[in-house]
Amino acid sequence: MSPSEELQQTRIPLNTGAEMMPAIGFGTLIPDPAKAKQAVKTALKVGYRQFDTAELYRNETIVGEALSESFDEGVLRREELFLVAKLWNNNHRPERLRRAFEASLQRLRVDYVDAYLIHTPFAFPPTDEQHPKDENNQPVYDDGITLEETWRAMEALVDEGRVGVIGLSDIKLDRLKQIVATARIKPSIVQIEAHPYLPEWEMLEFCKEHGIVLQAFAALGHAMEPRLLDDPVIVAIAARLGKTPAQVALAWAVQRGTAFLTTSVTPQRIAENFDISPLPTEAMTEMRERLARIVRYNQVVETGVPGFVPPPR
Ligand SMILES: NC(=O)c1ccc[n+]([C@@H]2O[C@H](COP(=O)([O-])OP(=O)(O)OC[C@H]3O[C@@H](n4cnc5c(N)ncnc54)[C@H](OP(=O)(O)O)[C@@H]3O)[C@@H](O)[C@H]2O)c1
């Protein structure tokens, strides 16, 4: 295998020892159903094997169609896919969690998922309203359930063999430490915003100590201002190596030991984001030392409410 192929095929060990997680991932936060389906099918053909889904995205059915058509067309087999699903905030109570999990499997047309994550640590009231708001337009929380209780319901899914591994998302380091300290089954994956403008080194170090995979979302900065892909340091490294700024940011993500998620509805970009090559050590050092700016694009870790609205596609 060439060094580029090796990087593209990187699989990160999970702390259960059972399976490895492909580092390169594709996210399904694509509101337009036809574009979502086409993007997932294209990504599977290009070679992505890690896919992120969520009940919140309200497109599991369309993703499920894309997956099952791809299995039928012989693009890949189910066991070659690492499929992640996520539980939304209004389903944190154990009886609702169980139903939400079964419903996601049904919509995705699979009988197991490789990973099931709690989408955010914030519980919303146990109703079908995904974004409950009070009269001041502020999120309403459910104080009748703790994250620890929800975690125990997640552990039960593992006990029953319904899911490979479990994890958390949009969580801060202090809260993650509390869950790791008290959990019977430790989290295997933590999905958070991370990119060269928000490297989360301390979180990454903690994750590595505990064998937790850091799965970075918005790995390209979600195409928002300030535009990560226009950063002069990244642009200069890309020009030197004959790669694109996106390929530099994504190679950086894998080389520092994270898995990543990108999303695109553009076939050429879907291919570009998979076609990464190793960065020389000096480029990795330059990115660590010269990109001092910290930008958080998504405020979801503060409220549980997604903080950026996808641009029109
Ligand atoms: N846990 C959470 O709370 C959470 C929050 C947000 C996202 N996520 C997950 O993470 C996934 C990825 O997040 P994201 O959408 O923010 O990822 P992203 O890859 O940082 O941003 C996607 C945007 O970048 C553009 N883009 C993609 N490749 C490009 C390239 N090579 N050059 C220039 N622009 C490019 C896309 O445009 P086009 O589509 O127009 O090509 C799209 O507008 C989501 O789909 C979702 O699964 C999780």
Side-chain angles (χ1 to χ4, degrees), residues 134-176:
D134 65 15
E135 56 283 5
N136 300 316
N137 209 28
Q138 295 304 305
V140 180
Y141 302 102
D142 179 10
D143 55 13
I145 178 92
T146 64
L147 186 59
E148 280 74 6
E149 289 167 325
T150 303
W151 188 256
R152 282 200 285 280
M154 298 284 281
E155 291 175 329
L157 293 177
V158 179
D159 291 337
E160 292 164 26
R162 302 302 314 281
V163 57
V165 299
I166 50 178
L168 295 153
S169 170
D170 299 331
I171 190 149
K172 290 184 174 171
L173 183 53
D174 287 353
R175 198 68 181 99
L176 173 64

Side-chain angles (χ1 to χ4, degrees), residues 26-30 51-54 56-57 86 88 117 119-120 169-170 191-193 195 216-224 227 229 244 246-247 250 261-270 272-273 298 300 306 308 311-313:
F26 193 82
T28 60
L29 178 52
I30 302 173
F51 282 74
D52 178 62
T53 68
L56 176 70
Y57 306 159
K86 299 199 294 291
W88 186 238
L117 312 184
H119 202 142
T120 87
S169 170
D170 299 331
Q191 181 182 124
I192 54 162
E193 177 178 345
H195 41 72
F217 77 73
L220 299 177
H222 200 73
M224 284 172 77
R227 290 179 69 90
L229 301 185
T244 67
Q247 289 168 330
L250 299 178
L261 290 170
T262 64
T263 296
S264 177
V265 296
T266 319
Q268 183 198 328
R269 286 177 173 170
I270 296 174
E272 173 188 332
N273 295 345
N298 190 321
V300 62
F308 55 53
R313 294 171 190 277

